[in-house]
Amino acid sequence: METTGAIKGSERRHLRLENLPQRKNIQAPFPRSPRSVDPNNPPWPAFRGYHTYSFANATMGHRLPTILGKAIDDVIATLNDQSEEDKIIDLVQCIERMEYLKGELERSAKLRPVVDDGEADVALWNKEIAKYFLGKDFMNATWLFAEAYKYRRLRECFSVSKYWRNYDVFFRQKCDTFSRSTDAVFELSMRFVEPFKHAPNLTDNEQLEKERLMFMELTQICLWGNSTDLSLLINMTEEQIKSLQSTGGEALAETEKNILGNHMHRLWEIVKDLREKKGQPNAVFDDEEIAVSGAVNAKDHMKAPGGRVDFILDNAGFELYCDCVYADFLIQSGFASQVRFHGKRYPWFVSDVTKKDWEWLLNIMVYGQLFSKVSEEEKESLKRLGRRWKQYEKEGKWVYEQHPFWCTGYTYWDLHSEAPDLFLHLSRSDLVIFKGDLNHRKLTYDCAAPASTTFEDSIGPMASAAGAPRVCSMRTIKSDVVVGLGENGDEIAEKLNKDEEGWKISGKYAVVLVSEGRPGELVRFA
Ligand code: F6P
Ligand code: MG
């Protein structure tokens, strides 16, 4: 029997709707007003795992289970080297927890609270889950949160164990990127081993121009060092790595064309002026900072010229080495009197720097025997560079820190509210450099903002809050969010969408973006 209510397709075409209101072109309410923004509702639409058009989908659906599978293989390799029964049983349980987590990812399970494993960030995680992601799963929570959550859960697999609390499933891979980068490592060590000095008889202007040129090249070295991200480039050949890491002048001029949002000239103006900071209050340590850093001779270099530069680090191994070369130049040329490096408290997004990676790099440079096929002179250059960097640490010119906030699911729009101590600390810096793709996603709330959105607008309170420091994002583009391309940015992005599939994940393009912030203003918390 036919139901009278069912309208067949042909009949529907004849429906007359002239008495209903006219169709309107409804504008989506984006960007959301700052008061309606929260971790599940960014200013522009969030990327989520179920969005098949976004890199979120490939990452949540394929890359993360693969990364976890490889991590399990790593632990099995460690297990097979053990002899003590207690430790073996404890490690087997870690593997079981990892396998369970892999299953949860594969079936997109709901996100549960993190267990109290004694980490400093448990409350931050569980508050965010309860307030914004209750009942959400790996695919329908925001991509940024779900991906970060996976690394927190991976941490939990070990942090509840007795013997393996600090085990790093990515450590072997991270060390590998450095040892597989021989050419670029020694190219840089041979060029920078001699402390930086000007040729005699140069005028002041000529000296400054020389420094500017060096700064521009080093900025690019530091930037493109971010291309070698393990989570994406795990299967690269040495040849491919070499071409990515090429540090020659010509190659750099060529790659500058690929910096789609390029504020490097403004960055130079900022850095150049730091040398004038001698004796200014925030160019020196205050007592609290001496206590935090434990710097032995901190007071000594209170008189040194230059500002304070902070690096929010990204990847270990080769990228960290490039960051250090850059930081070394800033110290030697007197632009910075102190550089503070911020790393992660535990293994994070495969390649990110932890304290152990930091120590490994400096020590392997001085004492290691990683590179057998290079000359004695080259070996010596790496040792000397490493010794110099360790000396900076002793003198408090370089300081390594690891605030718990860097390993949370919050974006940096919430840094001011969720980590006020860290915001205050960064507000005393003269320049905060954020490295890499994930830091950029967190600065910009990882959402579908138009590419013409200004960097300042896209980072919200990190630019607009009173006392916000000057911020620079140095990022090779490896995921969906792209902003800061200038007034015709939407057209540039549109053209690349048409002409070059995958341009947002290849690491071929980059941005170096600067926000002026509101330095010097009194920081306020509501
Ligand atoms: O898994 C995707 C991602 O989070 C992207 O941000 C990027 O592709 C990669 O992992 C991390 O890159 P980076 O080390 O530059 O932050
Ligand atoms: Mg990283």
Side-chain angles (χ1 to χ4, degrees):
M1 199 179 76
E2 244 191 299
T3 53
T4 45
I7 303 170
K8 289 196 189 119
S10 56
E11 292 166 28
R12 191 182 285 126
R13 277 202 292 276
H14 299 300
L15 274 180
R16 289 170 182 272
L17 302 175
E18 64 261 27
N19 292 317
L20 295 181
Q22 289 296 307
R23 262 183 87 113
K24 288 206 185 83
N25 216 355
I26 299 168
Q27 292 292 321
F30 297 115
R32 289 191 171 88
S33 71
R35 268 193 302 153
S36 51
V37 165
D38 69 45
N40 192 36
N41 296 292
W44 300 86
F47 303 110
R48 297 179 196 267
Y50 68 82
H51 291 156
T52 45
Y53 59 83
S54 142
F55 191 45
N57 190 257
T59 297
M60 296 310 295
H62 307 291
R63 288 180 55 240
L64 291 197
T66 308
I67 287 170
L68 214 42
K70 287 193 186 238
I72 292 171
D73 292 345
D74 171 274
V75 188
I76 291 173
T78 302
L79 179 81
N80 292 341
D81 279 346
Q82 301 304 308
S83 54
E84 287 174 49
E85 191 175 9
D86 281 1
K87 286 193 175 175
I88 291 175
I89 293 172
D90 202 28
L91 196 54
V92 167
Q93 286 167 354
C94 294
I95 295 173
E96 284 165 2
R97 286 189 284 270
M98 289 171 84
E99 272 162 354
Y100 187 78
L101 175 60
K102 186 161 176 271
E104 282 186 284
L105 260 175
E106 282 160 351
R107 62 174 194 280
S108 188
K110 290 204 168 128
L111 311 182
R112 63 146 170 85
V114 166
V115 305
D116 183 0
D117 55 5
E119 286 290 352
D121 58 7
V122 176
L124 275 168
W125 274 102
N126 289 343
K127 183 173 79 170
E128 197 176 3
I129 294 171
K131 277 179 86 171
Y132 309 109
F133 296 103
L134 206 61
K136 295 275 183 222
D137 59 42
F138 280 99
M139 291 308 251
N140 68 14
T142 60
W143 174 31
L144 180 70
F145 185 80
E147 191 177 13
Y149 173 82
K150 180 232 124 170
Y151 287 95
R152 181 60 181 87
R153 285 285 308 279
L154 178 58
R155 168 64 176 169
E156 194 192 282
C157 296
F158 293 90
S159 55
V160 297
S161 75
K162 184 166 174 197
Y163 299 101
W164 301 96
R165 192 176 166 83
N166 294 316
Y167 187 78
D168 183 349
V169 290
F170 306 122
F171 186 65
R172 286 190 179 100
Q173 302 176 45
K174 286 187 275 192
C175 299
D176 245 32
T177 58
F178 188 64
S179 37
R180 288 170 72 203
S181 309
T182 317
D183 286 4
V185 165
F186 289 100
E187 178 73 28
L188 290 173
S189 68
M190 293 294 282
R191 282 168 187 255
F192 290 100
V193 62
E194 289 306 333
F196 170 68
K197 251 200 259 131
H198 280 296
N201 307 329
L202 290 185
T203 65
D204 285 358
N205 280 346
E206 285 166 342
Q207 288 190 0
L208 197 63
E209 179 56 10
K210 173 87 187 133
E211 284 167 345
R212 188 185 69 80
L213 292 171
M214 281 184 79
F215 177 81
M216 290 301 184
E217 290 199 357
L218 277 167
T219 302
Q220 278 214 64
I221 286 171
C222 188
L223 166 70
W224 295 109
N226 179 248
S227 295
T228 38
D229 158 35
L230 284 172
S231 72
L232 292 171
L233 306 175
I234 254 161
N235 297 319
M236 280 192 116
T237 63
E238 297 217 1
E239 274 314 304
Q240 287 167 318
I241 291 182
K242 258 188 222 163
S243 84
L244 258 179
Q245 293 174 339
S246 149
T247 50
E250 257 172 52
L252 287 179
E254 196 49 38
T255 51
E256 189 169 351
K257 294 185 196 138
N258 291 347
I259 305 177
L260 301 177
N262 186 349
H263 296 174
M264 281 206 307
H265 295 280
R266 175 63 197 136
L267 187 64
W268 163 245
E269 292 298 318
I270 292 170
V271 166
K272 177 175 67 105
D273 289 347
L274 293 184
R275 198 155 45 193
E276 311 307 318
K277 283 198 72 88
K278 188 171 185 174
Q280 305 229 350
N282 64 351
V284 299
F285 282 105
D286 56 26
D287 287 343
E288 175 206 339
E289 281 168 341
I290 291 172
V292 171
S293 67
V296 201
N297 300 321
K299 292 246 179 201
D300 286 354
H301 80 97
M302 283 172 67
K303 300 163 218 129
R308 166 181 151 189
V309 176
D310 286 55
F311 274 84
I312 315 305
L313 295 171
D314 186 7
N315 300 323
F318 183 71
E319 180 172 352
L320 177 60
Y321 176 74
C322 294
D323 297 339
C324 288
V325 168
Y326 196 50
D328 191 356
F329 172 74
L330 294 179
I331 295 276
Q332 285 190 37
S333 51
F335 296 126
S337 57
Q338 188 187 50
V339 180
R340 302 182 86 96
F341 298 88
H342 301 257
K344 308 296 190 300
R345 292 173 75 86
Y346 45 79
W348 190 247
F349 283 70
V350 184
S351 13
D352 284 23
V353 179
T354 63
K355 181 93 192 293
K356 183 172 164 182
D357 301 322
W358 167 265
E359 286 171 350
W360 179 85
L361 178 69
L362 267 53
N363 285 324
I364 213 74
M365 286 172 69
V366 176
Y367 307 109
Q369 303 193 7
L370 278 183
F371 306 96
S372 50
K373 293 188 190 132
V374 297
S375 69
E376 287 308 309
E377 201 191 357
E378 285 172 320
K379 283 184 191 164
E380 189 52 29
S381 68
L382 195 63
K383 276 196 178 34
R384 279 181 56 200
L385 208 54
R387 278 193 221 113
R388 185 155 88 223
W389 295 354
K390 284 166 83 72
Q391 185 61 23
Y392 288 156
E393 255 200 310
K394 280 202 191 106
E395 293 170 356
K397 290 181 181 166
W398 280 12
V399 180
Y400 183 89
E401 307 183 6
Q402 41 178 8
H403 194 284
F405 182 78
W406 302 123
C407 289
T408 66
Y410 283 107
T411 73
Y412 303 152
W413 279 54
D414 285 321
L415 199 152
H416 181 269
S417 57
E418 299 299 331
D421 58 322
L422 182 59
F423 186 87
L424 197 62
H425 183 47
L426 295 178
S427 76
R428 295 181 182 140
S429 177
D430 295 299
L431 174 66
V432 183
I433 299 174
F434 287 83
K435 290 289 317 283
D437 197 70
L438 177 64
N439 276 325
H440 190 86
R441 289 172 64 195
K442 287 190 154 198
L443 279 166
T444 57
Y445 230 127
D446 200 34
C447 54
S452 56
T453 313
T454 65
F455 182 54
E456 244 109 7
D457 282 349
S458 70
I459 68 175
M462 279 306 285
S464 62
R470 283 196 200 93
V471 161
C472 172
S473 179
M474 277 187 205
R475 171 241 191 169
T476 60
I477 301 174
K478 293 188 276 189
S479 66
D480 298 71
V481 60
V482 177
V483 296
L485 302 201
E487 274 169 18
N488 58 347
D490 296 348
E491 288 102 73
I492 296 172
E494 202 43 52
K495 187 165 173 358
L496 282 163
N497 284 341
K498 275 205 205 101
D499 298 350
E500 219 177 303
E501 206 195 334
W503 70 276
K504 285 181 175 178
I505 55 172
S506 60
K508 172 179 164 190
Y509 294 99
V511 287
V512 178
L513 298 172
V514 170
S515 148
E516 300 296 334
R518 292 171 58 184
E521 287 184 43
L522 197 65
V523 175
R524 290 176 200 284
F525 301 109

